[in-house]
Amino acid sequence: MDVSQNTSIEPNAHFSKTLPYQPTHLRTIDYVIITVSYLGIMGNVVSLLVWRTHKTYNPVIFLFKYLAVVDIQHLVSISFWRIFVLFRRYFSDHTYFTVLFTTYGIEFFGQALSLHTTLLIAVCRFIVVSRPLEVYNGTLLTRCQVIVACVVLFFWCLLLAVPFIVMTLIIFNDKIDKGKTSYFFPLIFAFCELSVITLLMIVFDVLLLKKLYSSTALRSSPDSPQSGEIRYKGRRVTVVVVLMSMGSILAYLITGTCVALAFIYLHYTQEEKTKDTVETLITTYEFFESLNSSINIIFYLAFFQNFRKVSPIAGTIIDVTESSIPTKIPRSKNVSDGTW
């Protein structure tokens, strides 16, 4: 559906070469992405409501709630610019591209924050299974420590995103010498930074899987029914964290690498026929990106029995921790009871 067939869409030739992805109409995959994004927004809202019923502090659940908020922002930015494209005919070129490129920067901010938060969850889970006594005693992963980590990640991701918005708008508005400046370099820098984060995620996934294997190997050892149940539920949490990380690896490292390689090729060759390939790869990348931010609730429903018992619509309020230990036990045991 092309809503701007008779409208000029090339404000300057150089900018067209600098940033080839300048959509003026939506393709079928864009409507699929919009649908996935709205379903993901609803799923993250439900997840946030369910996790809010957990009344005691738990570092992993706290980060699950933070990730839900981050993914909502990310999915809103993904769907917003596509909806904005539908109203292309009502805006001048300058307004249209200014909003579009600003939204790209906000979307990248959501990408970075979602990826960094998922890494933080993996690190947090690894600390829990590696140093359980310190976590149980409240000397590690305190609420203050986790909040500080989230704030630091927020400003770091903002620092990564702002140069995209600023440089894109400066180039677009003819404020600097276009012959000596390109959007290519900050884009490659961002890709490298996100790749490093994804590779770190792979490292912690491997470490978590080793811990999971060690925990599984101990199942045959004598144990009380209660501690055995806690260990079993703790393994499910590790599986969920690893699955969430694998989704990010697929969305950002594998498809992101394909986009980066195609963009590098286009940057140095300037072949017009490559633009269609780049656009196809970008939309595929954004599909996996939106899917990755939408499917966490599926993991929660599949692996957490108590998560399925909480109904925000019905107003059911229970402790959603997967521990079999009653919530009336002392706080030192309830902060992290082996499940998380």
Side-chain angles (χ1 to χ4, degrees):
M1 173 178 163
D2 193 340
V3 297
S4 57
Q5 294 177 351
N6 300 320
T7 305
S8 172
I9 61 172
E10 296 288 348
N12 60 69
H14 175 84
F15 202 82
S16 176
K17 295 180 180 180
T18 304
L19 188 61
Y21 190 45
Q22 302 179 33
T24 55
H25 66 280
L26 298 185
R27 297 181 291 182
T28 301
I29 191 171
D30 291 304
Y31 290 103
V32 173
I33 293 173
I34 291 174
T35 303
V36 171
S37 296
Y38 282 121
L39 290 175
I41 290 170
M42 291 187 290
N44 280 294
V45 169
V46 171
S47 298
L48 187 60
L49 292 175
V50 172
W51 290 129
R52 281 175 59 86
T53 64
H54 187 249
K55 300 303 181 182
T56 55
Y57 168 71
N58 183 295
V60 174
I61 291 180
F62 181 91
L63 291 175
F64 281 164
K65 291 188 285 187
Y66 184 69
L67 180 61
V69 175
V70 168
D71 282 339
I72 289 172
Q73 179 273 327
H74 186 203
L75 292 169
V76 167
S77 64
I78 290 175
S79 57
F80 172 80
W81 74 255
R82 288 178 164 82
I83 299 299
F84 183 71
V85 168
L86 293 175
F87 299 93
R88 165 72 181 94
R89 69 179 71 180
Y90 300 108
F91 300 94
S92 65
D93 283 344
H94 186 274
T95 301
Y96 175 74
F97 285 108
T98 299
V99 174
L100 190 66
F101 299 145
T102 301
T103 308
Y104 284 167
I106 296 174
E107 181 182 339
F108 173 72
F109 171 70
Q111 292 178 20
L113 196 54
S114 178
L115 188 62
H116 282 74
T117 304
T118 304
L119 173 62
L120 184 59
I121 292 173
V123 173
C124 178
R125 179 59 188 161
F126 178 72
I127 293 175
V128 169
V129 298
S130 300
R131 306 179 66 178
L133 292 180
E134 290 91 338
V135 177
Y136 299 163
N137 294 331
T139 58
L140 277 178
L141 300 178
T142 63
R143 186 188 298 271
C144 181
Q145 290 172 337
V146 175
I147 290 176
V148 169
C150 291
V151 172
V152 170
L153 287 184
F154 178 88
F155 283 103
W156 169 246
C157 295
L158 190 63
L159 184 63
L160 291 175
V162 167
F164 285 91
I165 301 175
V166 174
M167 178 167 285
T168 304
L169 295 179
I170 287 177
I171 296 174
F172 178 68
N173 288 285
D174 301 322
K175 300 298 184 182
I176 56 179
D177 184 1
K178 293 182 174 64
K180 298 180 179 179
T181 307
S182 174
Y183 193 85
F184 168 79
F185 297 105
L187 181 65
I188 294 302
F189 168 77
F191 168 75
C192 293
E193 200 277 336
L194 293 183
S195 296
V196 170
I197 296 301
T198 312
L199 292 174
L200 286 175
M201 194 179 298
I202 294 175
V203 171
F204 280 98
D205 282 349
V206 171
L207 294 175
L208 283 173
L209 288 173
K210 291 179 64 176
K211 291 289 184 180
L212 182 65
Y213 177 79
S214 300
S215 175
T216 304
L218 294 175
R219 284 186 299 178
S220 59
S221 61
D223 210 344
S224 66
Q226 187 182 65
S227 59
E229 178 69 11
I230 292 174
R231 185 181 298 138
Y232 169 70
K233 293 175 178 178
R235 289 195 295 269
R236 290 191 297 181
V237 178
T238 300
V239 170
V240 168
V241 173
V242 171
L243 288 175
M244 292 168 60
S245 300
M246 290 176 63
S248 297
I249 292 167
L250 172 63
Y252 294 101
L253 184 61
I254 299 177
T255 57
T257 300
C258 294
V259 172
L261 292 176
F263 190 83
I264 291 172
Y265 180 80
L266 176 62
H267 174 76
Y268 286 108
T269 64
Q270 298 296 333
E271 292 185 8
E272 291 295 324
K273 61 182 181 181
T274 311
K275 287 189 176 183
D276 291 335
T277 302
V278 172
E279 290 185 5
T280 301
L281 288 174
I282 289 176
T283 51
T284 303
Y285 170 72
E286 291 189 336
F287 168 75
F288 283 108
E289 176 189 336
S290 60
L291 186 64
N292 177 65
S293 293
S294 303
I295 62 175
N296 290 339
I297 189 173
I298 298 177
F299 300 143
Y300 302 152
L301 290 171
F303 290 92
F304 299 153
Q305 181 180 4
N306 285 342
F307 188 94
R308 298 192 295 269
K309 294 179 181 180
V310 180
S311 173
I313 298 177
T316 304
I317 304 297
I318 64 174
D319 194 341
V320 298
T321 179
E322 288 298 303
S323 172
S324 59
I325 300 178
T327 57
K328 64 182 180 180
I329 64 172
R331 179 176 177 81
S332 62
K333 294 289 185 181
N334 198 35
V335 171
S336 182
D337 52 24
T339 298
W340 309 102

